[in-house]
Structure formats: C-alpha cells, structure tokens
Amino acid sequence: LTKIRRLVRADEPEAIEYVKQQLGSAGMGMGRGGGRFLAPLIRNIGETSPPSYWVVFEDLATGAGDELRAEVAVALEQLGAPESLKLVQEALKKEKLPAMRRNWLRALGTSGAADKGAHKALLAAAKAKGDEIDRANAIVALGWSHGDPAVAKALEAGLTSPAPRERRAAAIALAISRDRDVLSSLAEARG
C-alpha cells in the first residue's frame, strides 16, 4: 500500500496501468465492508494523483459496491479530468442510491467544467423538485462552469433563494468560480 501510494503520484502510463490492474483485481466483487483496504487508496488517488488517473476508476465507477463507488465519485470530483466526463455521466445515470447522487453531481461539475451539456444537467438538477441536499450539491458543482452566462445568472439568483442551504451553496459556487463580475452580488448577499 505504501509503494502504491507513492506510485500514484507518477504521471506515467505504466504506473497508471499498474494501479488500474491492482484496483480492478482487488475492488471488483467486494461485498459490504470489502473496501477497507481500497478506500484509503482511492482517497489518496483523488488527493495526490494527476488528472490522468481517472482511467483507474473506469470499472469501479459503476461496478463496485456502495462504499467504493462513493470513494470513486469523490476521487473523480477531485481529479476533475475533462476526459472522465462520459464515465461520470454514465455513473450518475446508473446510480440507484439517492444519497450517492450528490457525489456524482459534484464530479459532474468538475469534469464537465467546460461542457455546456454538463452545465445544462446541473442547472436542471439545481432546480429539480425533491432532495434539497441534491439541489445544493448541484448548485455547488455549478461553480466550476467557467464563463457560462446562464450559470452565472442562476447562481446570482440562488443568493436570494428562500432556502438557506441553497443560498449558501450559491455563495460557495460563486466563490469557486472566482468570477470577478459577480463579486458585487456576493458582497450584496453578505450585507
């Protein structure tokens, strides 16, 4: 485990392939609690690996047990690789657990930062009826939607939402965006 943790920092095709093989052989078919060994490694990949490591999660994103899928979603969010967008979209579409959708929504935000289709999906999720936590996570995920006027408008409007959680999510998303044009909206909302 210590050697693999060092290896996941290398942006070399051979290292990536080796880690993918190790995760695949160890992670597939693991039952409840079987991810105790892999969860810390997946977390480490999300925190320290280059974005090219998204490929090590191709099988685990939709085929692993609940615990590992949750870790994979967060790691993909942290990696933010645009190349992982289709994988994230597929995983989000297949996800059956409502409590895990929020992780995939945030991963969609980082991997789809430059994709208008991802922006549209997140805008729809941010307005959807249902789980307020999902809406808040979709709103936060919109913070990575660089330069999309529709997103900026929705986030500014979110600052006046009647739901406190959604107002906070909009403020966080606007801070993530670092869009100087909306700084006045943040200042007004704070005041």
Side-chain angles (χ1 to χ4, degrees), residues 88-101:
V88 170
Q89 289 171 322
E90 179 186 349
L92 177 60
K93 185 177 180 180
K94 287 183 175 182
E95 187 56 62
K96 302 247 187 288
L97 295 177
M100 225 161 339
R101 281 186 49 80

Side-chain angles (χ1 to χ4, degrees), residues 77 79-85 88-89 105-120 122 141-148 151 176-177:
E77 173 191 0
L79 294 173
E83 299 85 3
S84 69
L85 177 59
V88 170
Q89 289 171 322
L105 288 168
R106 291 190 320 274
L108 180 62
T110 61
S111 65
D115 184 84
K116 296 287 185 188
H119 301 180
K120 189 175 179 179
L122 287 169
L142 286 167
W144 284 279
S145 302
H146 306 296
D148 187 330
V151 170
I176 289 169
S177 76

Side-chain angles (χ1 to χ4, degrees), residues 16 20 45 49-59 61 72 75-76 79-88:
I16 295 168
K20 183 176 182 175
I45 292 169
S49 296
S52 57
Y53 270 77
W54 75 270
V55 298
V56 304
F57 299 127
E58 287 177 314
D59 295 330
V72 167
L76 286 168
L79 294 173
E83 299 85 3
S84 69
L85 177 59
K86 288 192 186 308
L87 177 64
V88 170

Side-chain angles (χ1 to χ4, degrees), residues 131-142:
D131 192 325
E132 181 184 14
I133 295 174
D134 280 358
R135 283 196 308 276
N137 278 274
I139 293 167
V140 168
L142 286 167

